[in-house]
Amino acid sequence: MHLSDILRAPKAVLHDHLDGGLRPGTIIELARDCGYQGLPTEDPAALAVWFRDAADSGSLERYLETFAHTCAVMQTREALERVAAECAEDLAADGVVYAEVRYAPEQHQERGLGLDEVVDAVNAGLREGERRSGGRITVRALLTGMRHTERSLEIAELTVAHRDRGVAGFDIAGGEVGNPPARHLAAFQHLRRHNCHFTIHAGEAVGAESIHEAVQVCGAERIGHGVRITDDIQVHDDGTATLGRLASYVRDNRIALEVCPTSNLQTGAAKSYDTHPVDLLRRLGFRVTLNTDNRLVSGTTMSEEFRHMVDAFGYGPAVFQEFTVAAVESAFLPLPERQRLIDEVIRPGYAALRARSGQ
Ligand SMILES: [Zn+2]
């Protein structure tokens, strides 16, 4: 597949962190505006490289440190609106037609914003970005609770309160080691009582037991990353595989895995694109979606993730349509909206692409 076709292909992203995807130039301008002195450089190109190098260290904890800088400049209504609008614009320019963008409201209160003000500012920015993109993209927010803090129930309540106003669901993120998802059971129970969607980061730094807890104890509808589900899959020499009960459950119940290949390489959850389990999981029938995780910090875009998959596995439009439809089918949107995106945007987009490329 040519680069121009990859860019043109309709894409959907379910796992993209708002604070991991800022434009380098915006970080520098916002830092000046708010007097933040902590940036390692004021040159946008050098700053982009710095973020990527810091994230390439192979440790999830070190990777998460880079967010101190981005969050430091996202502490006012204006800054949040700008970052959110640019996020929607950048995704749309990359051919993304549906995005769920997540962030932790509690990390944007250093200068006195209330939780509702944070959510309202991000929503206003996302609507502005959709508008500037001429309606080519639909964006919803997911509110993230942090694993290491005690505010997940409060954030779950915030999610329920804002769910008909641009917020589609909830997530738990942060360092996985030593912070099992069941610590936040009260939050998940609140969401379930209110019929509210949620996903959980699991199976990235910790193995299958973390996915088991997220799905069976907490009730996650999707899994952020989830690549360590391979711990429960035995691959034989002849290429066939035997699934354990957890892996079967996840596959058979169509629980989407929000797979982020480049991010996995950076945090050490996978060794290379060629050996990334995304292809094995797809072939075994898991509902696999492709995602960016953190566009700035991982130096990636959806098109870049597609390109890596073309290089590693030779995927063409048919497989990318499969990933994109899978993502929209697992989106936290009402069914008619999902169907409309699939029937009116994604399928026609890929049909045009196949007609052009003769594939
Ligand atoms: Zn993530």
Side-chain angles (χ1 to χ4, degrees), residues 79-336:
L80 285 166
E81 258 192 71
R82 174 173 174 183
V83 169
E86 291 179 352
C87 169
E89 277 185 300
D90 291 351
L91 290 170
D94 190 33
V96 174
V97 298
Y98 178 71
E100 288 178 9
V101 174
R102 60 186 75 190
Y103 63 98
E106 68 195 69
Q107 293 187 320
H108 304 283
Q109 296 194 288
E110 285 170 20
R111 293 185 186 225
L113 287 180
L115 290 174
D116 292 299
E117 291 175 301
V118 172
V119 176
D120 288 340
V122 173
N123 282 342
L126 293 176
R127 297 294 79 74
E128 172 65 14
E130 285 175 332
R131 196 188 58 72
R132 283 189 217 153
S133 306
R136 282 177 295 129
I137 186 168
T138 302
V139 188
R140 293 289 177 271
L142 303 182
L143 303 189
T144 296
M146 299 307 293
R147 303 182 98 100
H148 57 277
T149 70
E150 305 295 329
R151 300 185 68 180
S152 54
L153 177 58
E154 196 183 351
I155 304 304
E157 288 167 350
L158 188 72
T159 305
V160 172
H162 286 267
R163 70 168 147 187
D164 295 323
R165 289 175 284 140
V167 174
F170 175 84
D171 165 47
I172 281 272
E176 199 175 357
V177 179
N179 291 302
R183 270 192 60 207
H184 303 280
L185 207 50
F188 302 123
Q189 284 170 343
H190 180 80
L191 294 159
R192 295 175 84 172
R193 267 198 299 275
H194 291 84
N195 305 298
C196 198
H197 295 295
F198 61 92
T199 177
I200 297 178
H201 276 74
E204 180 185 16
V206 180
E209 70 270 23
S210 169
I211 300 175
H212 180 264
E213 198 172 302
V215 172
Q216 305 299 12
V217 179
C218 305
E221 291 164 78
R222 303 192 316 229
I223 297 295
H225 297 287
V227 284
R228 293 282 299 273
I229 194 70
T230 51
D231 290 4
D232 198 39
I233 300 171
Q234 215 189 331
V235 182
H236 309 293
D237 291 341
D238 64 357
T240 60
T242 307
L243 273 64
R245 294 207 186 275
L246 173 67
S248 295
Y249 187 94
V250 168
R251 179 191 64 182
D252 298 348
N253 284 286
R254 319 299 291 135
I255 294 171
L257 304 177
E258 302 161 359
V259 176
C260 312
T262 300
S263 167
N264 290 161
L265 263 55
Q266 291 185 304
T267 59
K271 295 265 180 293
S272 69
Y273 291 107
D274 293 14
T275 57
H276 193 284
V278 63
D279 190 58
L280 171 73
L281 295 170
R282 183 186 79 79
R283 285 186 284 112
L284 291 175
F286 284 83
R287 181 169 284 182
V288 174
T289 67
L290 272 187
N291 300 274
T292 47
D293 207 8
N294 296 291
R295 284 170 290 113
L296 167 68
V297 175
S298 292
T300 194
T301 60
M302 279 302 285
S303 289
E304 270 293 292
E305 298 297 326
F306 275 31
R307 191 177 63 76
H308 288 302
M309 296 297 101
V310 172
D311 292 346
F313 306 114
Y315 292 161
V319 177
F320 291 124
Q321 175 171 329
E322 201 181 284
F323 283 133
T324 308
V325 168
V328 174
E329 281 178 339
S330 298
F332 293 159
L333 272 183
L335 186 64

Side-chain angles (χ1 to χ4, degrees), residues 37-61:
Q37 307 278 349
L39 292 183
T41 167
E42 294 220 337
D43 175 68
L47 186 62
V49 172
W50 181 89
F51 268 102
R52 196 166 175 169
D53 286 350
D56 269 340
S57 62
S59 135
L60 179 62
E61 275 64 31

